[in-house]
Amino acid sequence: MTRAHLPGIIAMAIIVLASNILVQFLFGDWLTWGAFTYPLAFLVTDIMNRVYGAGPARTVVFVGFIVGLFCSLVGTQIMGEFGPLVTFRIAIGSGLAFLTAQLLDVGIFSALRNGTWWKAPLLSTIVGSSVDTALFFTIAFSASLTVLEPGNDVSWANEAVPLLGVGPVAPLWVSLAVADWAVKLSLALIALAPFRWATMRVDKTA
C-alpha cells in the first residue's frame, strides 16, 4: 500500500460507515437510504482496479470489510426499540455479501480490463451487486435460515405481500431485495460517467 492508495481506502471506509448508518432510515416503503450510498463501494473498487490494479483494489475491499465488521459489532451492542440495531444474521449477511461481491467484482473487472472501457466496470458491478443482494437478504431475512439465529424473529420480513405492492405474492424481504437490486443496477449505469472521468483524470496527471 502506498500514499497514492489512501484516497480510495478513505473513500471506501466513509461509504461503508455511512451505509451502515443510513440503512437504519427508510426511504419510501421498500428502500433505506443506505441503498443509495452502498453501491458507490463498487465505483471505488473499480477506479482503484483500473488505476492501480487488482492488488490495491483488494486492499480497499478488505479495509471496507473491516470497517463494516466493526460497525456491525458495535450495532449488535446497541439496543433499539425492538432489540439490537444490528442482529447477528444481518452482521453475517452484510459482511459475507460485501466481501464476496467485492472480490468477485475485482476478479471480473481484471478479466475484462483490456476490453471496451465500459464493459469491465459495468459487468463486474452488475454481477457483484446481484450476488451482494442475493446473499445479504437471504442470509439476513429468509425463514429457511432461522437456524443461524433462532432467537431473532424475522416473521415480519416473511409476511406474504404483493411483490413491490403490485406483483405476485412473495415474502416481504423479496420485495426489499428487488428494490435494492434495482437501485444498484441503476447506479451501476450512472456510475460509468464518474468512473470514466476519474480514470481519465488520473491518466492525464500520471
Side-chain angles (χ1 to χ4, degrees), residues 25-105:
F25 302 96
L26 287 174
F27 176 81
D29 294 328
W30 312 109
L31 292 168
T32 69
W33 282 102
F36 298 95
T37 56
Y38 173 76
L40 296 177
F42 290 97
L43 174 61
V44 172
T45 301
D46 289 347
I47 290 175
M48 290 295 296
N49 201 341
R50 171 61 72 187
V51 177
Y52 300 109
R58 291 190 184 96
T59 298
V60 168
V61 168
F62 285 119
V63 168
F65 173 73
I66 292 172
V67 171
L69 182 62
F70 174 78
C71 290
S72 293
L73 290 176
V74 170
T76 60
Q77 302 304 308
I78 300 176
M79 299 302 293
E81 182 179 357
F82 303 104
L85 292 182
V86 179
T87 66
F88 181 65
R89 286 183 62 171
I90 287 178
I92 293 177
S94 177
L96 184 60
F98 177 87
L99 192 60
T100 303
Q102 292 290 330
L103 291 179
L104 185 60
D105 177 275

Side-chain angles (χ1 to χ4, degrees), residues 106-158:
V106 172
I108 294 174
F109 188 104
S110 298
L112 300 175
R113 67 181 307 119
N114 294 324
T116 307
W117 73 267
W118 56 266
K119 286 186 178 179
L122 181 60
L123 296 181
S124 63
T125 299
I126 288 176
V127 174
S129 296
S130 300
V131 170
D132 180 272
T133 299
L135 280 177
F136 172 73
F137 283 93
T138 301
I139 293 172
F141 302 118
S142 174
S144 63
L145 294 178
T146 52
V147 65
L148 293 175
E149 192 178 16
N152 177 20
D153 181 12
V154 293
S155 59
W156 65 269
N158 289 273

